[in-house]
């Protein structure tokens, strides 16, 4: 089932239904029962009026349903910084995804900023582009505390795909079980979620793809006074997401993959949670992504010696 079909069949959750779902969830003795409020920011804090859905994960590692085939969700609209503040069940796992919607009467059109210096088709660098039924990114988080912030990007989507399909096994010498990334059979767990976020962060050289703020390349001046470590990490993340945007614009959906991230995620699962450095028949190679990211950064004007140095460091690494 594609996610567009899933989105059409999903049913919104009322407060009473959410309370009922909470009663049906497992109660970890190390976590306080009830609700918490967290912050979720989509993309490079540049998705406006997009729909972020929160879906509880049941004790079997599957998304909660109101009836067979219809997930139970609570929908929130992003503000002009791509942020929502959802009230969620205080349980081990939480799932979020994001979609655009069309303008309809009082309903505003969802938009996303163009992060490419050469522009995005009919839209220039920094322009708000309409998005509908995309980008479809997901993030699955564990151990989130009240008031904490999560990121929702294509890289967290890759982590969510690995977390659902695979688990990392560390076998001792003499253990009959195979070590490394193994197929899990399809469910989310705390362990697979932690391991998948760590793996994707290592692959792309980001401290933590689920918590690091990806810089909005149209507003790089905001990083002028940040410390070097924080700024370079965020600018690198933002540069990679901008390059990813160029792939999304080129991507043609298929019956198997509705979004570019789905295709890349399938390659990761197929290749033991790894991406080719260069070449190969995968949907994405790290070399090509980094080259696009560096080329795009090179074309963006920045002011100030410190910021220029931060950007140069990101381009050269």
């Amino acid at each position: 089932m594609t996610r567009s079909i899933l989105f059409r069949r999903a049913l919104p959750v009322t407060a009473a239904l959410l309370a009922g779902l909470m009663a049906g969830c497992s109660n970890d003795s190390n976590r306080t029962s009830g609700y918490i409020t967290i912050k979720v920011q989509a993309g490079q804090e540049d998705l406006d009026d997009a729909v972020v859905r929160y879906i509880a994960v049941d004790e079997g590692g599957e998304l909660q349903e109101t009836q067979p085939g219809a997930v139970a969700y609570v929908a929130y609209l992003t503000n002009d910084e791509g942020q929502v503040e959802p009230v969620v069940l205080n349980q081990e796992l939480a799932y979020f995804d994001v979609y655009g919607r069309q303008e309809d009467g009082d309903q505003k059109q969802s938009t996303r900023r163009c992060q490419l210096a050469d522009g995005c088709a009919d839209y220039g660098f920094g322009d708000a582009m309409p998005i509908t039924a995309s980008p479809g990114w997901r993030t699955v988080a564990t151990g989130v505390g009240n008031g904490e912030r999560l990121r929702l990007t294509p890289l967290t989507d890759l982590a969510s795909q690995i977390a659902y399909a695979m688990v990392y096994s560390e076998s001792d010498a003499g253990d009959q079980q195979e070590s490394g990334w193994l197929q899990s059979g399809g469910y989310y767990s705390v362990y697979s979620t932690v391991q998948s976020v760590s793996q994707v962060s290592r692959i792309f050289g980001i401290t933590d793809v689920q918590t690091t703020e990806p810089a909005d390349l149209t507003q790089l001046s905001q990083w002028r006074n940040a410390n070097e470590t924080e700024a370079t990490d965020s600018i690198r993340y933002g540069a990679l997401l901008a390059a990813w945007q160029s792939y999304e614009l080129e991507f043609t959906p298929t019956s198997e993959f509705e979004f570019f991230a789905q295709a890349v995620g399938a390659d990761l699962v197929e290749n033991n949670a790894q991406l080719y450095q260069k070449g190969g028949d995968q949907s994405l190679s790290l070399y090509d992504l980094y080259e696009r990211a560096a080329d795009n950064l090179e074309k963006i004007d920045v002011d100030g010696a410190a910021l220029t140095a931060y950007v140069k460091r990101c381009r050269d690494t």
Side-chain angles (χ1 to χ4, degrees), residues 4-230:
S4 64
I5 296 173
L6 181 67
F7 191 42
R8 289 195 293 270
R9 294 187 64 190
L11 301 177
V13 179
T14 64
L17 181 53
L18 186 59
L21 290 173
M22 183 181 70
C25 293
S26 61
N27 185 18
D28 187 333
S29 60
N30 294 321
R31 295 182 68 83
T32 303
S33 62
Y35 304 95
I36 58 174
T37 300
I38 65 173
K39 298 175 182 178
V40 179
Q41 280 190 294
Q44 292 159 265
E45 303 183 359
D46 61 345
L47 273 71
D48 191 8
D49 279 300
V51 179
V52 172
R53 304 189 307 168
Y54 160 64
I55 304 172
V57 180
D58 67 24
E59 59 186 12
E62 298 288 348
L63 301 185
Q64 289 274 5
E65 297 182 336
T66 56
Q67 61 190 49
V71 295
Y73 72 90
V74 183
Y76 298 85
L77 286 179
T78 61
N79 61 18
D80 59 3
E81 293 184 341
Q83 178 170 292
V84 297
E85 296 190 20
V87 177
V88 305
L89 300 175
N90 189 17
Q91 60 184 45
E92 287 185 328
L93 292 168
Y95 169 104
F96 300 91
D97 56 27
V98 60
Y99 296 88
R101 62 177 190 176
Q102 287 182 315
E103 182 178 5
D104 184 10
D106 293 334
Q107 176 176 293
K108 294 182 179 179
Q109 172 69 54
S110 303
T111 62
R112 176 186 178 192
R113 274 194 289 279
C114 173
Q115 299 284 338
L116 302 176
D118 289 337
C120 305
D122 297 330
Y123 298 90
F125 179 60
D127 287 351
M129 306 183 296
I131 54 172
T132 302
S134 66
W137 306 324
R138 296 161 286 186
T139 192
V140 180
T142 183
V144 183
N146 191 57
E148 292 185 8
R149 187 188 309 273
L150 295 174
R151 302 293 168 176
L152 180 50
T153 74
L155 301 194
T156 67
D157 188 276
L158 299 184
S160 75
Q161 292 185 68
I162 296 174
Y164 187 77
M166 310 186 79
V167 64
Y168 188 79
S169 172
E170 298 180 7
S171 298
D172 296 329
D175 193 330
Q176 297 300 311
Q177 182 176 333
E178 187 178 355
S179 62
W181 287 97
L182 308 176
Q183 298 289 330
S184 67
Y187 61 89
Y188 296 113
S189 71
V190 171
Y191 184 69
S192 68
T193 297
V194 171
Q195 290 294 328
S196 66
V197 170
S198 176
Q199 176 70 1
V200 173
S201 298
R202 283 197 297 268
I203 288 173
F204 293 97
I206 306 299
T207 299
D208 188 323
V209 296
Q210 203 163 63
T211 59
T212 297
E213 177 183 351
D216 181 344
L217 301 192
T218 71
Q219 300 176 10
L220 279 178
S221 60
Q222 294 180 350
W223 294 92
R224 184 179 293 112
N225 298 319
N227 69 68
E228 182 178 4
T229 300
E230 179 185 3

